[in-house]
Amino acid sequence: MKSIATVGLILAAAGLWPSAPAAAQDLKVALISSKTGPLEAYAKQTEAGFNLGLEYLTGGTMTVNGRKIVVIAKDDQGKPDLAKSMLEQAYIDDDVDLAVGTSSSGAALAMLPVAEDAKKVLIVEPAVADAITGDRWNRYIFRTARNSTQDALAAAVALGGGEASIATLAQDYAFGRDGVAAVKAALEATKSKGKVVFEEFAPQNATDFTASAERIFEALKDKPGRRILVIIWAGPSPFTKIMDLKPERFKIELAPGGNILPVMKTYKPFPGIEGAVYYYYGFPKNAMNDWLVAEHTKRFNMPPDFFTAGGMAAAAALVAAVKKAGSTDTEKLIAAMEGMEFDTPKGKMTFRKEDHQAMQAMYAFRVKADGKSEWDLLDLVREIPAAELPVPIRNKR
């Protein structure tokens, strides 16, 4: 007599035995960031926010559409050549469905053609250079991060409309030069009476700003209207070192951009200073941010930071896109993501169809005089809605 197992094999071969359903294939995602080098803090926050986002958005199951999410983390060290090769490896050797990255604008720009060659989606977070969704863009690129122009437009709104002579201090690479160009364009777009009268570029890893400050002070000291120094800097900020050189002697104000909490903590001795920020944990009022603040504080003993929110936004875009597309097929993802609105810790974001830039709110802030705790740093002046930020479309579609 044949055994049940043997009968089963015969029936299965004949197509008469019901087979077990095939297990759903893992949903593989590459998360590329710059965990080695000056942007280490940014990268670690992005990774933490991304993983927290996946946890929140999947109800702790880490699955979407029945597929287990597998995150393959890679460190590009902020080096463009390494970022490029790591994305190639992720798409080809690791066979990821899509990728997220990276911290450095220079590294992100190197990754763009790789996504196009592989015909797979790359969600850019947190790099901000305008060129990423501008003249270097391709249809496989979606960006949850804000761009340099969004930063600059928000800063222009925060500065107000009065007459101002503005100098800029920025790093001498893609992020810094892009940022300065964006400031000038933003002042024009918002019909501001402010004008950039001097530009100072310093090495990316500069630590001594004495010579730069002297040139800036000399250029501004006799100029009309408010005299404002706008700092555009990634990594350890020169803010404190510039303030130590006493710009107030020449009635020069500093307008620091938003940054990570340890950097913004250096603003505390200067209450009343105003600027614009992409995210500060106390500003957005929505369920996702409430969860992020509570959970991050419980796990890490401090509130979520600037790039934590960005990582969570990237996770939100990924989950929303896969659910909407019902697939990780690239063409279906692109069709789903163009014009897609999705929830983030900052509230709603929308991928603009023309260039796949996430349109989003920004925040005008004032440094607190009486923070109640170590991280109670900023007062909200007002939320600046996306509708008030006229971000131009710069790509050629």
Side-chain angles (χ1 to χ4, degrees):
M1 181 179 290
K2 293 182 175 68
S3 69
I4 293 174
T6 303
V7 172
L9 288 171
I10 293 169
L11 291 174
L16 301 174
W17 189 269
S19 59
Q25 196 173 30
D26 289 344
L27 197 168
K28 293 195 284 187
V29 182
L31 177 62
I32 302 173
S33 59
S34 307
K35 288 193 284 188
T36 302
L39 303 182
E40 175 188 2
Y42 298 4
K44 288 182 175 179
Q45 289 178 20
T46 302
E47 186 170 353
F50 187 73
N51 289 323
L52 283 166
L54 292 178
E55 179 183 338
Y56 175 82
L57 293 155
T58 64
T61 67
M62 295 300 285
T63 62
V64 59
N65 291 356
R67 296 172 63 183
K68 179 184 176 184
I69 302 170
V70 176
V71 179
I72 301 170
K74 298 177 182 288
D75 176 13
D76 64 21
Q77 301 176 32
K79 298 175 181 177
D81 289 348
L82 188 55
K84 180 180 177 181
S85 66
M86 285 193 159
L87 187 59
E88 289 171 341
Q89 180 190 72
Y91 285 143
I92 297 168
D93 298 339
D94 300 323
D95 193 28
V96 300
D97 295 286
L98 67 170
V100 176
T102 182
S103 313
S104 159
S105 287
L109 287 165
M111 292 163 63
L112 306 187
V114 178
E116 186 172 30
D117 289 344
K119 294 181 169 53
K120 288 194 175 183
V121 167
L122 170 64
I123 297 174
V124 175
E125 176 65 48
V128 302
D130 279 332
I132 293 167
T133 42
D135 60 3
R136 302 280 290 277
W137 174 87
N138 64 68
R139 65 189 294 268
Y140 302 95
I141 307 306
F142 289 81
R143 175 160 50 186
T144 47
R146 86 284 184 207
N147 63 25
S148 291
T149 292
Q150 285 167 312
D151 273 346
L153 287 166
V157 170
L159 286 173
E163 183 180 15
S165 298
I166 299 168
T168 58
L169 171 62
Q171 287 158 306
D172 193 7
Y173 83 116
F175 164 75
R177 292 196 170 272
D178 219 55
V180 172
V183 167
K184 292 193 285 189
L187 291 169
E188 184 175 339
T190 57
K191 297 180 171 56
S192 170
K193 294 180 182 178
K195 181 180 179 182
V196 174
V197 298
F198 185 76
E199 301 169 25
E200 175 73 12
F201 293 95
Q204 188 176 355
N205 59 352
T207 57
D208 184 351
F209 299 95
T210 305
S212 289
E214 287 176 354
R215 288 189 287 270
I216 291 165
F217 295 171
E218 184 63 29
L220 280 183
K221 67 180 185 180
D222 296 320
K223 291 294 187 293
R226 291 175 66 190
R227 299 165 191 163
I228 301 171
L229 170 57
V230 173
I231 298 174
I232 303 164
W233 206 268
S237 173
F239 175 82
T240 302
K241 292 183 178 180
I242 298 292
M243 291 302 290
D244 287 344
L245 297 171
K246 303 191 181 305
E248 66 274 14
R249 291 176 293 150
F250 307 106
K251 298 183 179 178
I252 295 171
E253 310 168 41
L254 265 62
N259 212 311
I260 60 176
L261 292 171
V263 171
M264 292 198 293
K265 194 160 74 168
T266 66
Y267 304 168
K268 288 181 77 171
F270 312 102
I273 285 178
E274 295 188 0
V277 67
Y278 159 82
Y279 172 83
Y280 174 70
Y281 70 93
F283 290 169
K285 304 300 179 187
N286 60 71
M288 190 180 296
N289 192 56
D290 290 347
W291 182 90
L292 175 60
V293 172
E295 202 63 29
H296 194 280
T297 302
K298 182 169 69 176
R299 297 186 195 188
F300 301 102
N301 201 33
M302 68 177 291
D305 212 334
F306 201 85
F307 296 100
T308 320
M312 195 169 189
L318 184 152
V319 171
V322 173
K323 285 182 176 180
K324 185 178 179 184
S327 169
T328 51
D329 173 80
T330 297
E331 290 304 317
K332 290 180 180 177
L333 283 173
I334 292 172
M337 294 172 79
E338 288 191 337
M340 183 179 79
E341 184 179 86
F342 53 102
D343 290 317
T344 79
K346 293 179 61 179
K348 298 285 185 185
M349 289 188 187
T350 305
F351 281 130
R352 187 162 59 178
K353 186 173 182 179
E354 292 82 358
D355 60 0
H356 302 174
Q357 173 63 47
M359 308 307 288
Q360 55 196 278
M362 302 285 278
Y363 306 93
F365 71 81
R366 182 179 298 114
V367 175
K368 278 192 172 184
D370 56 349
K372 296 176 178 63
S373 68
E374 181 181 11
W375 305 117
D376 185 18
L377 305 172
L378 307 180
D379 279 322
L380 177 64
V381 175
R382 76 179 185 98
E383 180 176 313
I384 308 168
E388 290 185 26
L389 302 171
V391 182
I393 297 166
R394 291 194 172 95
N395 65 336
K396 295 179 180 177
R397 181 145 187 162

mmCIF file of all heavy atoms in Angstrom, residues 235-253:
data_model
loop_
_atom_site.group_PDB
_atom_site.id
_atom_site.type_symbol
_atom_site.label_atom_id
_atom_site.label_comp_id
_atom_site.label_asym_id
_atom_site.label_seq_id
_atom_site.Cartn_x
_atom_site.Cartn_y
_atom_site.Cartn_z
ATOM 1 N N GLY A 235 26.238 70.049 9.768
ATOM 2 C CA GLY A 235 27.218 69.580 10.737
ATOM 3 C C GLY A 235 27.408 70.595 11.844
ATOM 4 O O GLY A 235 26.599 71.511 12.017
ATOM 5 N N PRO A 236 28.504 70.492 12.617
ATOM 6 C CA PRO A 236 28.752 71.421 13.734
ATOM 7 C C PRO A 236 28.667 72.874 13.267
ATOM 8 O O PRO A 236 29.371 73.292 12.355
ATOM 9 C CB PRO A 236 30.163 71.045 14.184
ATOM 10 C CG PRO A 236 30.304 69.603 13.811
ATOM 11 C CD PRO A 236 29.551 69.449 12.515
ATOM 12 N N SER A 237 27.796 73.647 13.914
ATOM 13 C CA SER A 237 27.492 74.998 13.441
ATOM 14 C C SER A 237 28.531 76.018 13.902
ATOM 15 O O SER A 237 29.024 75.948 15.032
ATOM 16 C CB SER A 237 26.121 75.422 13.967
ATOM 17 O OG SER A 237 25.861 76.779 13.662
ATOM 18 N N PRO A 238 28.831 77.010 13.044
ATOM 19 C CA PRO A 238 29.733 78.101 13.444
ATOM 20 C C PRO A 238 29.047 79.191 14.252
ATOM 21 O O PRO A 238 29.668 80.199 14.593
ATOM 22 C CB PRO A 238 30.216 78.651 12.098
ATOM 23 C CG PRO A 238 29.099 78.379 11.164
ATOM 24 C CD PRO A 238 28.475 77.092 11.615
ATOM 25 N N PHE A 239 27.781 79.020 14.589
ATOM 26 C CA PHE A 239 26.989 80.074 15.221
ATOM 27 C C PHE A 239 27.678 80.646 16.459
ATOM 28 O O PHE A 239 27.870 81.862 16.585
ATOM 29 C CB PHE A 239 25.600 79.529 15.581
ATOM 30 C CG PHE A 239 24.742 80.502 16.346
ATOM 31 C CD1 PHE A 239 24.027 81.486 15.698
ATOM 32 C CD2 PHE A 239 24.659 80.438 17.737
ATOM 33 C CE1 PHE A 239 23.238 82.378 16.404
ATOM 34 C CE2 PHE A 239 23.871 81.322 18.452
ATOM 35 C CZ PHE A 239 23.165 82.297 17.781
ATOM 36 N N THR A 240 28.045 79.768 17.401
ATOM 37 C CA THR A 240 28.621 80.249 18.664
ATOM 38 C C THR A 240 29.940 80.965 18.427
ATOM 39 O O THR A 240 30.221 82.012 19.056
ATOM 40 C CB THR A 240 28.819 79.079 19.641
ATOM 41 O OG1 THR A 240 27.553 78.454 19.870
ATOM 42 C CG2 THR A 240 29.370 79.557 20.962
ATOM 43 N N LYS A 241 30.761 80.433 17.547
ATOM 44 C CA LYS A 241 32.060 81.056 17.282
ATOM 45 C C LYS A 241 31.903 82.434 16.653
ATOM 46 O O LYS A 241 32.690 83.351 16.952
ATOM 47 C CB LYS A 241 32.904 80.130 16.401
ATOM 48 C CG LYS A 241 33.324 78.860 17.135
ATOM 49 C CD LYS A 241 34.207 77.978 16.292
ATOM 50 C CE LYS A 241 34.633 76.739 17.101
ATOM 51 N NZ LYS A 241 35.506 75.847 16.325
ATOM 52 N N ILE A 242 30.899 82.587 15.797
ATOM 53 C CA ILE A 242 30.641 83.911 15.215
ATOM 54 C C ILE A 242 30.128 84.869 16.296
ATOM 55 O O ILE A 242 30.559 86.034 16.382
ATOM 56 C CB ILE A 242 29.621 83.809 14.062
ATOM 57 C CG1 ILE A 242 30.155 82.925 12.932
ATOM 58 C CG2 ILE A 242 29.276 85.196 13.535
ATOM 59 C CD1 ILE A 242 31.321 83.482 12.178
ATOM 60 N N MET A 243 29.243 84.399 17.149
ATOM 61 C CA MET A 243 28.714 85.250 18.217
ATOM 62 C C MET A 243 29.817 85.678 19.179
ATOM 63 O O MET A 243 29.793 86.796 19.709
ATOM 64 C CB MET A 243 27.599 84.535 18.968
ATOM 65 C CG MET A 243 26.313 84.341 18.170
ATOM 66 S SD MET A 243 25.561 85.870 17.564
ATOM 67 C CE MET A 243 24.964 86.614 19.080
ATOM 68 N N ASP A 244 30.799 84.805 19.408
ATOM 69 C CA ASP A 244 31.922 85.150 20.284
ATOM 70 C C ASP A 244 32.723 86.326 19.740
ATOM 71 O O ASP A 244 33.434 87.013 20.499
ATOM 72 C CB ASP A 244 32.856 83.944 20.460
ATOM 73 C CG ASP A 244 32.251 82.869 21.362
ATOM 74 O OD1 ASP A 244 31.277 83.171 22.071
ATOM 75 O OD2 ASP A 244 32.757 81.734 21.335
ATOM 76 N N LEU A 245 32.632 86.591 18.436
ATOM 77 C CA LEU A 245 33.360 87.695 17.809
ATOM 78 C C LEU A 245 32.555 88.995 17.844
ATOM 79 O O LEU A 245 32.960 89.995 17.256
ATOM 80 C CB LEU A 245 33.722 87.312 16.368
ATOM 81 C CG LEU A 245 34.670 86.101 16.262
ATOM 82 C CD1 LEU A 245 34.797 85.640 14.813
ATOM 83 C CD2 LEU A 245 36.045 86.426 16.842
ATOM 84 N N LYS A 246 31.412 88.954 18.530
ATOM 85 C CA LYS A 246 30.606 90.142 18.840
ATOM 86 C C LYS A 246 30.124 90.923 17.595
ATOM 87 O O LYS A 246 30.455 92.094 17.399
ATOM 88 C CB LYS A 246 31.354 91.075 19.788
ATOM 89 C CG LYS A 246 31.749 90.375 21.091
ATOM 90 C CD LYS A 246 32.244 91.360 22.115
ATOM 91 C CE LYS A 246 32.664 90.640 23.394
ATOM 92 N NZ LYS A 246 31.608 89.780 23.962
ATOM 93 N N PRO A 247 29.322 90.286 16.760
ATOM 94 C CA PRO A 247 28.780 90.992 15.588
ATOM 95 C C PRO A 247 27.880 92.167 15.978
ATOM 96 O O PRO A 247 27.691 93.086 15.175
ATOM 97 C CB PRO A 247 27.983 89.906 14.861
ATOM 98 C CG PRO A 247 27.677 88.893 15.913
ATOM 99 C CD PRO A 247 28.851 88.900 16.828
ATOM 100 N N GLU A 248 27.367 92.147 17.221
ATOM 101 C CA GLU A 248 26.501 93.242 17.654
ATOM 102 C C GLU A 248 27.240 94.582 17.677
ATOM 103 O O GLU A 248 26.609 95.647 17.666
ATOM 104 C CB GLU A 248 25.888 92.932 19.020
ATOM 105 C CG GLU A 248 26.859 92.871 20.180
ATOM 106 C CD GLU A 248 27.509 91.509 20.382
ATOM 107 O OE1 GLU A 248 27.414 90.658 19.463
ATOM 108 O OE2 GLU A 248 28.114 91.305 21.459
ATOM 109 N N ARG A 249 28.570 94.562 17.703
ATOM 110 C CA ARG A 249 29.351 95.818 17.630
ATOM 111 C C ARG A 249 28.982 96.615 16.397
ATOM 112 O O ARG A 249 29.058 97.840 16.373
ATOM 113 C CB ARG A 249 30.849 95.512 17.584
ATOM 114 C CG ARG A 249 31.446 94.934 18.859
ATOM 115 C CD ARG A 249 32.905 94.595 18.627
ATOM 116 N NE ARG A 249 33.066 93.501 17.671
ATOM 117 C CZ ARG A 249 34.115 93.359 16.868
ATOM 118 N NH1 ARG A 249 35.082 94.274 16.851
ATOM 119 N NH2 ARG A 249 34.199 92.309 16.055
ATOM 120 N N PHE A 250 28.616 95.893 15.347
ATOM 121 C CA PHE A 250 28.291 96.531 14.068
ATOM 122 C C PHE A 250 26.792 96.438 13.763
ATOM 123 O O PHE A 250 26.373 96.592 12.625
ATOM 124 C CB PHE A 250 29.090 95.870 12.946
ATOM 125 C CG PHE A 250 30.574 95.826 13.205
ATOM 126 C CD1 PHE A 250 31.206 94.635 13.557
ATOM 127 C CD2 PHE A 250 31.339 96.982 13.132
ATOM 128 C CE1 PHE A 250 32.567 94.591 13.805
ATOM 129 C CE2 PHE A 250 32.702 96.952 13.386
ATOM 130 C CZ PHE A 250 33.320 95.754 13.734
ATOM 131 N N LYS A 251 26.004 96.174 14.826
ATOM 132 C CA LYS A 251 24.555 96.023 14.680
ATOM 133 C C LYS A 251 24.201 94.935 13.677
ATOM 134 O O LYS A 251 23.251 95.061 12.886
ATOM 135 C CB LYS A 251 23.910 97.358 14.293
ATOM 136 C CG LYS A 251 24.098 98.447 15.349
ATOM 137 C CD LYS A 251 23.392 99.727 14.956
ATOM 138 C CE LYS A 251 23.574 100.809 16.041
ATOM 139 N NZ LYS A 251 22.947 102.081 15.675
ATOM 140 N N ILE A 252 24.976 93.870 13.708
ATOM 141 C CA ILE A 252 24.737 92.720 12.825
ATOM 142 C C ILE A 252 23.989 91.644 13.606
ATOM 143 O O ILE A 252 24.413 91.250 14.694
ATOM 144 C CB ILE A 252 26.072 92.169 12.266
ATOM 145 C CG1 ILE A 252 26.735 93.215 11.364
ATOM 146 C CG2 ILE A 252 25.836 90.858 11.503
ATOM 147 C CD1 ILE A 252 28.150 92.842 10.935
ATOM 148 N N GLU A 253 22.884 91.202 13.056
ATOM 149 C CA GLU A 253 22.089 90.125 13.650
ATOM 150 C C GLU A 253 22.429 88.812 12.949
ATOM 151 O O GLU A 253 22.719 88.802 11.752
ATOM 152 C CB GLU A 253 20.594 90.391 13.462
ATOM 153 C CG GLU A 253 20.112 91.767 13.877
ATOM 154 C CD GLU A 253 18.702 92.017 13.378
ATOM 155 O OE1 GLU A 253 17.873 91.077 13.450
ATOM 156 O OE2 GLU A 253 18.430 93.130 12.902
#
